[in-house]
Amino acid sequence: AVPCWVPTGCRSGVVEVERSVTAVLGQDVVLPCRYRAQEQEQVEQVTWLKRGPAGHSAEVAVLHRQHGEHVQEPYAGRVLRQTGGALEDGAIILRN
């Protein structure tokens, strides 16, 4: 899955992700993603996408500051936020 950040403000901070994450079939895996915001910035939304064949992307989950979390049907019940609170930590757990 590929994270996409939508910060507010005119300047942008830095997205910190792991270059690769190893998962074991049938076990949970943490997909880390942190946004190091600039002054006066606040993360409004985090969108996780799954990159498929030929570069096509499919939405996995949207984490929104005001509207909460929305997980697409193929991943319903399998995607959880790793931590609550501010979206600067947009890590998710992908179950099984």
Side-chain angles (χ1 to χ4, degrees), residues 8-30:
T8 61
C10 57
R11 294 177 295 177
S12 61
V14 177
V15 177
E16 298 171 343
V17 295
E18 297 292 324
R19 182 132 178 99
S20 67
V21 175
T22 302
V24 176
L25 186 63
Q27 294 186 8
D28 297 352
V29 63
V30 175

Side-chain angles (χ1 to χ4, degrees), residues 3 5 14-17 32-37 83 86-91:
W5 295 83
V14 177
V15 177
E16 298 171 343
V17 295
C33 189
R34 177 171 269 299
Y35 183 75
R36 203 165 4 127
T83 60
L87 288 177
E88 280 74 13
D89 185 350

Side-chain angles (χ1 to χ4, degrees), residues 81-95:
R81 281 203 57 202
Q82 185 180 22
T83 60
L87 288 177
E88 280 74 13
D89 185 350
I92 59 172
I93 299 170
L94 183 59
R95 300 185 63 179

Side-chain angles (χ1 to χ4, degrees), residues 25-95:
L25 186 63
Q27 294 186 8
D28 297 352
V29 63
V30 175
L31 302 177
C33 189
R34 177 171 269 299
Y35 183 75
R36 203 165 4 127
Q38 295 291 320
E39 191 176 324
Q40 304 298 319
E41 270 190 320
Q42 183 174 12
V43 176
E44 293 290 324
Q45 177 176 306
V46 176
T47 302
W48 280 90
L49 304 170
K50 180 179 180 182
R51 207 176 281 161
H56 295 283
S57 295
E59 187 176 284
V60 173
V62 176
L63 315 175
H64 195 278
R65 189 170 67 85
Q66 291 181 326
H67 303 294
E69 303 168 25
H70 177 74
V71 178
Q72 293 297 325
E73 188 56 40
Y75 302 95
R78 294 185 53 216
V79 173
L80 307 167
R81 281 203 57 202
Q82 185 180 22
T83 60
L87 288 177
E88 280 74 13
D89 185 350
I92 59 172
I93 299 170
L94 183 59
R95 300 185 63 179

